[in-house]
């Protein structure tokens, strides 16, 4: 953990209280994370647990920002509703009268988990951006929840030179401030605490003429100061993460962490859709209809290419195969489907049985290491392995298609120009899942009754679509595979296996002509899509 | 100002060579752009100059170590136009720009061009200006100068006539020179009331009720309304000229309202009385829409109309980044022969672009002066008339109408110098206690 530099272990008092005053009103939760944590020896298991919990919190913020407007009452309500109580006390605001050591412990976990995720998400640009956005939202949310007292304390500790305008100065210019400070419609309360900042610190508000400006100073009410500080946090975090990713790139140590971090970074904390939980009545025969009705764009794209070209390259076979498994296509049906299509491409029965068949069965955990692989989440699809050239059809169309290809495709699927523009705009701005969610909304408009959650997983897309279009066809099925367990348990319970985690994720860039892969190669290739090793005999049950 | 020496383009190369030897204020110029750095600091050398030669041949990325070198360079090339670029991170030389060398510092600059007002001008179009439209520039100076000084607190501002149809503004405070692009962007936005239309739509002014109350906007609007009434309605008879009336009415947008107003106004004579009538009618119209969902679209339409007619229009591309070139003060406009002289913003009303001396005129004024004041001895006509140590002769620019412009420039440079001294003194105080720590 040397990447953050070392920190002194803080004393209890320093850790809790900001300044000299030791009153409860001065206890603040918001944190600028200026100092790296004091890392005691933490186990890999803790490492993952902390990370997953914070990830869950960040997901809630992401979802809230997606469904509502940041800062609106609905936004606040949604976050409060979604955050489980303990997390709320830990990440937003402790209950009044919370014991000192609880506060101390909460803060420790807050700092630790933040720095763990910083490390986890500093490995590619897309992930960095995602992480920074959610952390800034969390930061802003917490800061705006602080009281006048605790905010002052927070500023003092973080060395921010913000002091409210002295009363007399405030009284003198109050009439101007009232006229020249912007209120959103519906905000009635008049600000009473103003801070005088160099205009360079308040550019976003200067630009919109939302604050009074005089002699190079912007007069910013506390409500808007939150934005200023949040912007500073964004800049600071961006710089720190850029620095960090350089260090991580250069340092070779702690390779045991790499696979765990890679997994966390694309971590999808919802369901894993490894297959079989629900029965949608899928058969190879109704696939075409389901594809038009309910496949997300990524799956539909691969499906249509399979029908048209009678072939799919390796990455697409993996992504599409796992997707099909996730929606409940049986292993035998899958083999049948691919055999039928690929034979039209000139692949002989023998060739198929020697290579492709094995791949499919491997995905279902029937052969080889007998692992039940989970289909990849959107984040994973979006942030790893972009399709290489026009023959590769895996990936996410919102991310990997050119603007014109996306437009053409949406047009073919019958979207009116207005909807198309909305989707294209989101995709252009880098909100790929947002674009996908909009697409879902537009194509299910007639059935929709509530706002949809952001699409996080192609199989989630499918499930929600089926529930809307044909709710009766969705039936529960007794679970065949056990649910997800943290990967680190596997290390503990299967010591012989830990070898696997001490290697960097395999490079699979040159693995297309693969139907003669050895067992070991196959497992390498699959590891990226791994969920868990399930030692129970259940994984052998035929679907 | 006499017009006895009209500008003669054919003479330009020859006249320029005299101008660059005897008039161009090198010393002040260097004092300005060196910004108080020591001569050994090579700061001046990091600045890009661009020379435009005959037939639009551009020499970009010129740089000069010293004032002497600059003098030599200018006199040697005798450029038809001199542009000033940014300060780079390292010295650039003639060659194509090395990608590792980047702009690091640049005055905040504004470029206001009369051509941007073409859609609302009644008198001229494109590069032409006259005494009727020039007050638009005067208004721009007043509005922007107030914002820069009162709101942003800038102190070192140089306004310059561009030589033909516009004005330039150089903000040279240290803070302004070090602004990053987003900050420049924010300042422009703060100043902007007329937004470029979305996708092919025309530009529009949109004012909310909050805008109207917002101090900076309300101060600008005060100037705008005065200008509109005095300059357009009264002096130019806006409401009585068919062209003007059409433009005004078109901005009301609602066809029914336009027809009604037109019918009510046409029988009235007198531009101002027509304007009063229109104001009343639009007032009623706005009141009738007050309850509507989209009342914001109409509620400030009268002010929006006036803003469209005269609020400053900036060429934002110039101000955005650090590396845009801008014509140097005291360059000569190659098409008009007029010198790009500074304008005193406090007396912007008095500035008359047609009184700005042309290069031909300067030469004539000088020889007139010399004839009237025959030299006692034969000094001061050599290469460096301003630096002869014994018995300094009166510099040539003082003999001409360039004097006024140079005085404004000198005041600007002096003020900068006072600020440097103050800053240095402050820095010394600040650093002292730190020094004793070690
Ligand atoms: S956002 Fe997810 S579900 Fe939608 S197309 Fe992309 S990868 Fe598929
Ligand atoms: Zn210009
Ligand atoms: Zn004119």
């Amino acid at each position: 953990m040397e990447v953050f530099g070392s920190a002194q272990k803080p004393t209890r008092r320093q850790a809790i209280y900001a300044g000299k005053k030791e009153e409860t009103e001065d206890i603040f939760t918001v944190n600028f994370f200026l100092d790296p944590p004091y890392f005691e020896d933490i186990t890999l298991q803790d490492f993952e647990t902390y990370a997953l919990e914070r990830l869950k919190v960040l997901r809630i913020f992401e979802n809230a920002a997606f469904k509502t407007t940041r800062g609106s009452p609905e936004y606040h309500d949604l976050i409060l509703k979604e955050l489980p109580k303990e997390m709320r006390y830990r990440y937003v605001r402790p209950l009044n009268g919370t014991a000192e050591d609880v506060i101390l412990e909460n803060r420790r976990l807050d700092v630790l988990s933040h720095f763990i995720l910083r490390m986890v998400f500093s490995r590619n640009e897309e992930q960095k951006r995602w992480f920074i956005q959610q952390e800034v939202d969390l930061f802003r949310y917490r800061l705006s929840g602080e009281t006048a007292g605790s905010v002052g304390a927070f500023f003092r500790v973080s060395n921010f030179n913000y002091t409210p305008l002295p009363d007399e100065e405030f009284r003198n210019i109050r009439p101007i401030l009232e006229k020249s400070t912007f209120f959103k419609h519906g905000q009635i309360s008049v600000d009473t605490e103003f801070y005088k900042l160099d205009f360079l610190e308040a550019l976003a508000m200067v630009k919109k003429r939302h604050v009074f400006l005089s002699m190079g100073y912007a007069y910013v009410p506390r409500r808007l100061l939150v934005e200023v500080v949040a912007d500073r946090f964004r800049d600071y975090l961006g710089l720190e993460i850029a620095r960090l990713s350089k260090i991580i790139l250069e340092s070779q140590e702690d390779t045991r962490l790499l696979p765990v971090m890679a997994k966390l970074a694309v971590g999808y904390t919802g369901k894993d859709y490894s297959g079989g939980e629900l029965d949608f009545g899928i058969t190879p025969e109704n696939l075409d209809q389901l594809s038009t009705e309910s496949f997300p764009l990524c799956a539909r794209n691969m499906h249509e290419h399979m029908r048209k070209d009678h072939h799919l390259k390796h990455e697409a076979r993996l992504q599409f195969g796992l997707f099909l498994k996730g929606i409940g296509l049986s292993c035998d049906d899958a083999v049948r489907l691919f055999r039928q299509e690929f034979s039209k491409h000139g692949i002989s029965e023998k060739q198929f049985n020697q290579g492709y068949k094995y791949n499919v069965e491997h995905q279902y955990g029937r052969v080889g290491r007998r692992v039940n692989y989970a289909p990849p989440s959107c984040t994973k699809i979006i942030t790893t392995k972009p399709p290489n050239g026009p023959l590769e059809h895996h990936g996410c169309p919102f991310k990997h298609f050119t603007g014109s290809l996306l437009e053409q495709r949406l047009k073919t699927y019958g979207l009116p120009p207005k909807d198309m523009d909305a989707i294209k705009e989101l995709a252009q701005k880098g909100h790929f899942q947002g674009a996908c969610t909009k697409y879902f909304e537009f194509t299910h408009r007639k059935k929709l009754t509530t706002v949809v959650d952001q699409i996080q997983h192609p199989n989630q897309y499918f499930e929600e679509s089926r529930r809307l279009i044909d709710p009766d066809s969705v039936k529960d099925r007794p679970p065949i595979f056990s649910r997800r367990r943290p990967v680190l348990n596997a290390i503990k319970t299967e010591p012989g296996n830990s070898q696997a985690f001490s290697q960097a994720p395999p490079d699979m860039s040159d693995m297309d002509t693969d139907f003669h892969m050895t067992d070991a190669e196959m497992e390498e290739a699959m590891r990226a899509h791994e969920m868990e090793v399930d030692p129970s005999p259940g994984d052998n049950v035929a679907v | 100002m006499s017009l006895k020496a009209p500008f003669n383009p054919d003479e330009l190369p020859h006249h320029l060579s005299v101008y660059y030897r005897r008039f161009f204020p090198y010393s002040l110029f260097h004092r300005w752009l060196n910004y108080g750095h020591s001569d050994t600091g090579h700061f001046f050398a990091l600045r890009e100059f661009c020379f435009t030669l005959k037939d639009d041949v551009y020499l970009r990325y010129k740089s000069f170590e010293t004032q002497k070198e600059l003098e030599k360079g200018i006199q040697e090339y005798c450029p038809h136009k001199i542009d000033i670029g940014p300060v780079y991170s390292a010295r650039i030389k003639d060659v194509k720009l090395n990608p590792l060398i980047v702009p690091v510092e640049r005055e905040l600059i504004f470029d206001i061009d009369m051509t941007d007002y073409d859609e609302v001008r009644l008198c001229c179009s494109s590069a032409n200006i006259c005494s009727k439209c020039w007050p638009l520039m005067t208004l721009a100076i007043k509005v922007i100068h107030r914002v820069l000084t009162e709101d942003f607190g800038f102190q070192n501002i140089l306004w310059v006539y561009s030589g033909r149809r516009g004005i330039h503004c150089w903000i040279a405070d240290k803070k302004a020179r070090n602004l990053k692009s987003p900050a420049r962007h924010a300042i422009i936005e703060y100043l902007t009331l007329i937004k470029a239309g979305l996708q092919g739509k025309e530009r529009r002014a949109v004012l909310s009720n909050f805008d109207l109350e917002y101090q900076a906007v309300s101060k600008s609007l005060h100037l705008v309304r005065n200008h509109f009434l005095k300059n357009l309605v009264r002096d130019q008879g806006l409401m009585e000229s068919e062209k003007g009336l059409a433009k005004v009415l078109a901005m009301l947008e609602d066809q029914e309202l336009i027809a009604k107003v037109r019918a009510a106004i046409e029988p009235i004579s007198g531009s101002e009385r027509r304007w009063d009538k229109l104001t009343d009618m639009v007032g009623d119209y706005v009141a009738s829409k007050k309850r509507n969902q989209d009342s914001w679209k109409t509620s400030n339409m009268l002010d929006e109309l006036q803003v469209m007619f005269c609020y400053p229009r900036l060429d934002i591309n110039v101000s955005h980044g650090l590396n845009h070139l801008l014509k140097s003060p005291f360059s000569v406009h190659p098409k008009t022969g007029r010198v790009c002289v500074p304008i005193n913003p406090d007396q912007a009303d008095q500035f008359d672009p047609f009184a700005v001396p042309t290069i031909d005129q300067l030469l004539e004024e000088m020889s007139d002066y010399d004839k009237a004041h025959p030299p006692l001895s034969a000094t001061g006509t050599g290469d460096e008339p301003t630096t002869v140590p014994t018995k300094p002769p009166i510099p040539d620019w003082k003999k001409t109408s360039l004097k006024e412009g140079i005085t404004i420039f000198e005041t600007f440079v002096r003020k900068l110098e006072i600020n440097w001294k103050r800053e240095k003194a402050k820095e010394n105080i600040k650093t002292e206690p730190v020094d004793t720590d070690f």
Side-chain angles (χ1 to χ4, degrees):
Chain A
M1 298 284 179
E2 285 75 16
V3 282
F4 298 118
S6 58
Q8 293 296 311
K9 184 167 184 150
T11 67
R12 285 167 76 86
R13 299 235 151 255
Q14 276 173 342
I16 300 182
Y17 297 112
K20 281 155 265 155
K21 276 218 238 141
E22 294 180 4
E23 286 155 23
T24 27
E25 304 90 76
D26 285 4
I27 298 177
F28 53 90
T29 323
V30 60
N31 199 325
F32 207 85
F33 301 110
L34 284 167
D35 296 318
Y38 172 82
F39 276 108
E40 290 126 85
D41 288 330
I42 76 165
T43 63
L44 269 185
Q45 180 153 19
D46 283 348
F47 184 90
E48 200 190 7
T49 314
Y50 299 161
L52 279 176
E53 182 179 280
R54 193 178 192 90
L55 209 48
K56 215 179 224 163
V57 175
L58 297 185
R59 286 266 181 234
I60 290 170
F61 275 86
E62 181 192 21
N63 197 38
F66 179 73
K67 281 193 184 169
T68 64
T69 321
R70 281 191 191 83
S72 67
E74 301 81 46
Y75 177 78
H76 285 260
D77 291 350
L78 191 60
I79 287 169
L80 282 187
K81 205 181 97 208
E82 303 262 306
L83 268 181
K85 260 206 204 97
E86 340 78 68
M87 291 197 204
R88 197 159 86 217
Y89 299 149
R90 179 170 306 155
Y91 291 98
V92 180
R93 186 120 203 96
L95 279 180
N96 269 345
T98 303
E100 240 180 49
D101 12 335
V102 177
I103 293 180
L104 194 61
E105 175 64 5
N106 281 347
R107 188 156 302 171
R108 188 182 77 93
L109 291 184
D110 181 31
V111 172
L112 264 175
S113 63
H114 168 84
F115 276 89
I116 289 173
L117 287 194
R118 230 192 233 189
M119 201 154 75
V120 166
F121 281 95
S122 60
R123 295 148 58 83
N124 85 40
E125 289 311 312
E126 202 108 36
Q127 293 169 358
K128 279 183 209 172
R129 227 178 303 134
W130 183 87
F131 175 66
I132 292 173
Q133 182 60 53
Q134 312 318 322
E135 281 284 344
V136 168
D137 283 353
L138 171 64
F139 178 86
R140 189 192 295 110
Y141 188 83
R142 290 159 140 197
L143 187 59
S144 50
E146 302 291 350
T147 64
S150 65
V151 140
F154 166 67
F155 286 160
R156 239 173 297 133
V157 182
S158 316
N159 275 327
F160 290 143
N161 230 342
Y162 301 134
T163 40
L165 214 58
D167 275 350
E168 203 194 313
E169 200 177 342
F170 174 60
R171 247 178 282 124
N172 286 341
I173 57 170
R174 179 167 186 156
I176 302 176
L177 290 180
E178 275 172 9
K179 284 186 174 172
S180 297
T181 309
F182 184 74
F183 279 94
K184 276 213 196 75
H185 192 66
Q187 289 172 321
I188 3 136
S189 67
V190 172
D191 298 289
T192 49
E193 240 173 282
F194 277 84
Y195 295 77
K196 192 168 154 182
L197 313 183
D198 190 310
F199 83 88
L200 291 176
E201 278 205 67
L203 286 181
M205 290 146 228
V206 168
K207 187 172 169 170
K208 294 190 225 143
R209 293 187 296 261
H210 279 185
V211 292
F212 175 59
L213 200 59
S214 173
M215 296 310 286
Y217 290 101
Y219 291 73
V220 178
R222 177 142 78 90
R223 150 180 74 82
L224 292 176
L225 183 66
V226 168
E227 296 303 321
V228 174
V229 185
D231 277 347
R232 268 177 85 155
F233 182 61
R234 181 192 300 276
D235 293 346
Y236 161 76
L237 196 56
L239 283 176
E240 287 295 302
I241 286 187
R243 211 171 52 95
L244 192 61
S245 55
K246 233 175 105 193
I247 297 177
I248 288 182
L249 267 183
E250 285 159 5
S251 85
Q252 293 300 315
E253 61 177 314
D254 249 344
T255 43
R256 232 159 42 107
L257 281 177
L258 284 179
V260 182
M261 299 210 308
K263 181 170 166 293
L264 282 170
V266 296
Y268 166 70
T269 54
K271 280 204 241 175
D272 68 19
Y273 298 100
S274 54
E277 292 93 340
L278 290 172
D279 182 352
F280 302 99
I282 314 269
T283 63
E285 286 67 42
N286 62 10
L287 267 187
D288 288 338
Q289 182 204 341
L290 290 173
S291 165
T292 355
E293 278 180 10
S294 296
F295 279 17
L297 231 50
C298 53
R300 187 168 176 187
N301 179 46
M302 292 183 289
H303 179 78
E304 287 173 356
H305 272 291
M306 182 191 69
R307 290 295 196 211
K308 201 172 81 188
D309 312 338
H310 312 301
H311 191 71
L312 285 175
K313 293 260 194 190
H314 174 70
E315 282 298 331
R317 289 205 306 275
L318 205 56
Q319 188 182 330
F320 188 46
L322 290 172
F323 170 79
L324 291 177
K325 185 181 77 153
I327 65 173
L329 189 72
S330 76
C331 184
D332 293 339
D333 281 345
V335 170
R336 212 151 41 93
L337 173 72
F338 284 115
R339 171 180 290 135
Q340 203 184 33
E341 285 298 337
F342 286 22
S343 71
K344 296 181 200 158
H345 189 65
I347 293 193
S348 71
E349 184 76 18
K350 189 165 155 241
Q351 268 176 321
F352 186 84
N353 286 342
Q354 277 174 354
Y356 297 105
K357 181 164 175 250
Y358 187 87
N359 282 13
V360 176
E361 288 175 343
H362 196 122
Q363 289 172 4
Y364 278 81
R366 284 232 187 138
V367 293
R369 263 171 79 223
R370 299 185 181 265
V371 170
N372 184 24
Y373 298 99
S377 67
C378 296
T379 327
K380 170 133 202 168
I381 295 171
I382 287 167
T383 57
T384 55
K385 292 199 173 298
N388 192 359
L391 294 177
E392 294 210 316
H393 302 303
H394 66 280
C396 167
F398 298 105
K399 153 93 189 185
H400 297 119
F401 277 15
T402 60
S404 57
L405 181 57
L406 182 62
E407 185 173 329
Q408 183 202 325
R409 191 62 59 87
L410 293 173
K411 215 166 163 184
T412 323
Y413 294 166
L415 250 69
K418 206 174 107 247
D419 294 356
M420 209 158 70
D421 288 347
I423 290 174
K424 261 180 60 192
E425 197 188 321
L426 281 167
Q428 258 158 23
K429 284 193 188 139
H431 305 308
F432 311 116
Q433 289 160 254
C436 185
T437 315
K438 266 271 154 342
Y439 177 73
F440 183 96
E441 260 175 53
F442 292 155
T443 47
H444 296 76
R445 216 181 242 139
K446 289 202 195 85
K447 308 259 176 186
L448 272 181
T449 49
T450 53
V451 196
V452 274
D453 276 1
Q454 164 137 299
I455 300 296
Q456 305 284 7
H457 201 294
N459 293 75
Q460 170 211 355
Y461 184 110
F462 180 80
E463 182 182 326
E464 285 180 18
S465 171
R466 289 327 289 161
R467 285 190 190 285
L468 283 173
I469 293 175
D470 191 0
D472 295 341
S473 74
V474 184
K475 297 189 193 79
D476 276 333
R477 180 152 60 177
I480 292 163
F481 298 102
S482 71
R483 301 304 308 278
R484 174 194 181 87
R485 278 186 298 115
V487 70
L488 290 169
N489 288 355
I491 299 184
K492 291 253 166 66
T493 53
E494 292 173 48
N497 221 13
S498 62
Q499 171 67 18
F501 294 97
S502 60
Q503 295 162 358
D507 178 14
M508 304 189 293
S509 44
D510 50 6
M511 289 202 148
D512 189 51
T513 50
D514 55 358
F515 62 90
H516 280 300
M517 272 171 126
T518 66
D519 218 46
E521 280 168 339
M522 190 66 193
E523 294 194 359
E524 286 278 85
M526 287 293 198
R527 189 160 303 121
H529 298 267
E530 189 151 18
M531 54 167 298
E532 80 244 39
V533 178
D534 193 323
S536 79
D539 69 340
N540 232 347
V541 176
V543 185
Chain B
M1 233 35 71
S2 71
L3 286 177
K4 52 192 165 177
F7 171 58
N8 179 357
D10 298 336
E11 291 283 347
L12 186 65
H14 164 66
H15 285 177
L16 274 174
S17 87
V18 181
Y19 176 80
Y20 286 134
R21 269 185 294 118
R22 306 186 60 169
F23 291 100
F24 195 85
Y26 295 102
S27 164
L28 278 174
F29 197 77
H30 180 266
R31 268 160 69 193
W32 167 32
L33 292 178
N34 196 38
Y35 287 109
H37 291 77
S38 71
D39 286 342
T40 51
H42 308 293
F43 178 80
F44 183 76
L46 302 176
R47 173 77 71 164
E48 177 193 352
F49 292 89
C50 170
F51 292 169
T52 309
L53 308 183
K54 200 169 158 265
D55 301 325
D56 285 346
V57 175
Y58 296 100
L59 298 179
R60 283 206 65 175
Y61 309 124
K62 307 285 296 170
S63 66
F64 305 97
E65 187 76 35
T66 57
Q67 180 190 330
K68 267 258 142 53
E69 253 190 50
L70 172 77
E71 271 182 60
K72 236 178 77 201
I74 291 182
Q75 285 165 8
E76 181 184 325
Y77 287 104
C78 216
H80 287 205
K81 181 169 158 239
I82 302 173
D83 280 285
I84 303 180
V87 175
Y88 280 92
S89 54
R91 176 98 192 250
I92 40 169
K93 280 210 137 199
D94 297 320
V95 283
K96 227 180 146 226
L97 192 58
N98 173 346
L100 293 175
I101 303 182
V102 290
V104 288
E105 196 181 309
R106 170 25 137 204
E107 293 78 9
L108 174 62
I109 50 179
F110 293 116
D111 180 3
I112 304 160
D113 228 305
M114 197 70 95
T115 41
D116 286 325
Y117 294 80
D118 276 359
E119 58 175 326
V120 289
R121 278 199 290 170
L122 306 178
C123 44
C124 335
S125 64
S126 64
N128 298 318
I129 58 163
C130 71
S131 60
K132 284 182 183 153
C133 50
W134 183 258
L136 284 168
M137 292 294 138
T138 316
L139 178 67
I141 295 177
K142 287 185 193 161
V143 168
I144 296 172
H145 197 74
R146 192 209 62 75
V147 167
L148 292 174
T149 51
E150 288 179 22
D151 299 357
F152 286 96
F154 293 126
Q155 299 179 355
N156 304 108
I157 302 172
L158 184 69
W159 287 95
V160 183
Y161 174 50
S162 78
R164 180 147 76 156
R165 56 175 183 214
I167 46 177
H168 297 159
C169 178
W170 300 76
I171 301 127
D173 296 53
K174 190 163 184 198
K175 190 170 172 184
R177 283 182 275 133
N178 286 305
L179 292 174
K180 303 270 179 296
S181 209
R184 289 167 201 256
H185 186 76
I187 296 174
I188 300 167
E189 293 269 292
Y190 183 88
L191 269 166
T192 302
L193 290 186
I194 302 174
K195 294 242 157 76
L198 294 167
Q199 291 171 358
K201 292 233 181 76
E202 285 170 4
R203 338 183 214 206
R204 271 208 61 163
V206 180
L207 296 171
S208 68
N209 291 337
F210 171 75
D211 285 330
L212 254 55
E213 298 267 288
Y214 186 84
Q215 173 144 310
V217 177
S218 87
K219 284 185 174 177
S220 299
L221 281 180
H222 180 74
L223 294 168
V224 162
R225 292 185 195 120
N226 283 345
H227 177 98
F228 186 85
L229 188 65
K230 187 187 165 298
N231 186 275
L232 282 156
V233 175
R234 289 186 192 145
D235 295 357
Q236 294 198 54
L238 173 75
M239 301 297 289
E240 281 191 318
S241 92
E242 192 39 49
K243 195 172 166 191
L245 188 60
K247 284 183 203 279
V248 171
L249 289 176
M251 284 183 200
L252 300 181
E253 283 180 358
D254 180 331
Q255 291 307 324
E256 213 176 297
L257 175 68
I258 292 175
K260 253 169 61 190
V261 173
R262 188 182 268 284
I265 271 183
E266 268 168 353
I268 301 176
S269 73
S271 178
E272 191 168 352
R273 286 175 54 207
R274 283 184 168 196
W275 173 245
D276 289 342
K277 181 72 188 164
L278 180 140
T279 322
D280 286 347
M281 293 184 74
V282 172
D284 292 344
Y285 174 78
V286 169
S288 75
K289 295 259 166 188
K290 210 165 201 153
R291 290 255 151 64
N292 290 17
Q293 266 265 303
D294 52 358
S295 66
W296 58 271
K297 278 191 193 156
T298 50
S299 59
N300 301 310
M301 58 193 283
L302 264 184
D303 278 316
E304 288 167 357
L305 184 154
Q306 297 177 63
V307 163
M308 278 303 283
F309 267 98
C310 42
Y311 190 81
R313 298 174 176 221
L314 298 172
D315 181 347
I316 52 171
N317 295 325
V318 175
S319 318
H320 250 13
L322 276 75
N323 50 7
H324 211 284
L325 296 169
L326 191 64
K327 182 139 44 94
S328 166
F330 296 102
S331 190
V332 174
H333 197 292
K335 294 263 161 53
T336 62
R338 291 193 200 278
V339 182
C340 304
V341 289
I343 302 171
N344 180 350
D346 298 327
Q347 293 166 9
D349 282 317
Q350 274 96 310
F351 181 82
D352 175 4
F354 300 104
V356 170
T358 62
I359 189 165
D360 308 53
Q361 190 184 326
L362 290 182
L363 302 192
E364 201 173 300
E365 283 171 9
M366 179 175 67
S367 68
D368 284 355
Y369 179 96
D370 286 344
K371 266 184 225 139
H373 307 78
L376 299 173
S377 63
T379 51
T381 50
D383 280 336
E384 293 150 18
T386 52
T387 49
V388 177
T390 51
K391 207 178 164 203
I394 164 165
D396 289 324
W397 55 265
K398 276 206 174 154
K399 305 168 183 168
T400 68
S401 45
L402 202 56
K403 195 168 142 190
E404 203 185 316
I406 290 197
T407 312
I408 299 171
F409 189 44
E410 187 168 5
T411 315
F412 164 75
V413 175
R414 283 247 167 95
K415 197 165 165 197
L416 269 172
E417 285 170 339
I418 293 169
N419 282 358
W420 299 328
K421 283 196 193 114
R422 252 193 237 133
E423 263 165 43
K424 281 226 178 80
K426 246 198 247 161
E427 261 165 42
N428 287 339
I429 295 169
K430 259 196 225 150
T431 51
E432 244 163 49
V434 178
D435 285 344
T436 55
D437 262 9
F438 289 95

